Amino acid sequence: MPGRGRLSCDIGFGGNFYAFVSAEDVGIPFERDRAEDFIAAGREIMAAVNEQLDPVHPETGYRGCEHVVFLTPPTEPGPSGEAPDARHVLINYPGWLDRSPGGTGTSALMAVRHTRGELGLNTDFVNECFIGTTFTGRLVEETSVGEHVAVVPTITGSAWLTATSQFMLDPSDPFPAGFTL
């Protein structure tokens, strides 16, 4: 990668493709005031993964990496009082930092760890994001997707309502469902 040299990453799928990279390998300290540095590096890595690897789901045809997870070793207890199994910064396309550990990202990370022999079935896996929120995942069975070994995950966590919307359709509107050109 221009300006960063060679980087290695794991690619996992949990509903979307994710590139998992060591924050240390990118040279960005795992500090909140470095959020913009993580966003910039995440954009560069997404572009490099898509240019060099072009990940494609074997059954659905879903294509492209739109998420980068910068991993750092867990060193201290998380909000639950226990040390998490993973700590990370999650960058989403086109370039924003996610406040959530990410359900599809947690699923993809568990699949990568399972493939590496680092996570068995029916074992809790606590994934903590940059700001301290956590999801707990568990792989409940092995299966296959196309020619690939795959796993079935479960995820638990918390979410909070952040907005509501109300949409109204005027009965006199000649295009209440929109239009196509």
Side-chain angles (χ1 to χ4, degrees), residues 14 18 25 27 34-36 40 58 63-64 76 78 80 85 103 118 131 137 169:
Y18 286 78
D25 289 352
R34 301 301 295 268
E36 291 301 320
R63 126 178 287 130
E76 54 194 55
S80 68
D85 297 297
E118 299 169 357
I131 62 171
L169 298 176

Side-chain angles (χ1 to χ4, degrees), residues 1-151:
M1 290 186 52
R4 296 194 189 276
R6 289 183 64 86
L7 289 175
S8 63
C9 68
D10 287 315
I11 304 295
F13 187 85
N16 300 298
F17 284 105
Y18 286 78
F20 296 97
V21 180
S22 164
E24 183 178 338
D25 289 352
V26 179
I28 304 173
F30 199 78
E31 299 167 358
R32 287 187 183 194
D33 65 348
R34 301 301 295 268
E36 291 301 320
D37 295 330
F38 280 114
I39 291 169
R43 286 179 176 149
E44 293 170 14
I45 292 168
M46 280 181 241
V49 166
N50 289 325
E51 180 182 308
Q52 296 173 34
L53 300 174
D54 189 28
V56 179
H57 190 278
E59 291 183 350
T60 67
Y62 179 91
R63 126 178 287 130
C65 176
E66 295 184 338
H67 309 278
V68 174
V69 175
F70 295 97
L71 295 164
T72 190
T75 56
E76 54 194 55
S80 68
E82 296 183 23
D85 297 297
R87 289 184 73 217
H88 70 277
V89 176
L90 169 55
I91 305 301
N92 295 311
Y93 179 83
W96 52 277
L97 190 142
D98 201 323
R99 70 177 247 171
S100 162
T104 57
T106 299
S107 298
L109 181 54
M110 290 191 305
V112 166
R113 295 261 173 110
H114 183 75
T115 298
R116 289 182 164 276
E118 299 169 357
L119 180 63
L121 296 179
N122 301 308
T123 303
D124 283 350
F125 178 83
V126 179
N127 191 18
E128 180 183 270
C129 81
F130 201 40
I131 62 171
T133 57
T134 62
F135 282 168
T136 300
R138 179 180 278 250
L139 300 175
V140 295
E141 74 177 278
E142 272 192 10
T143 187
S144 61
V145 174
E147 299 175 3
H148 302 278
V149 174
V151 285

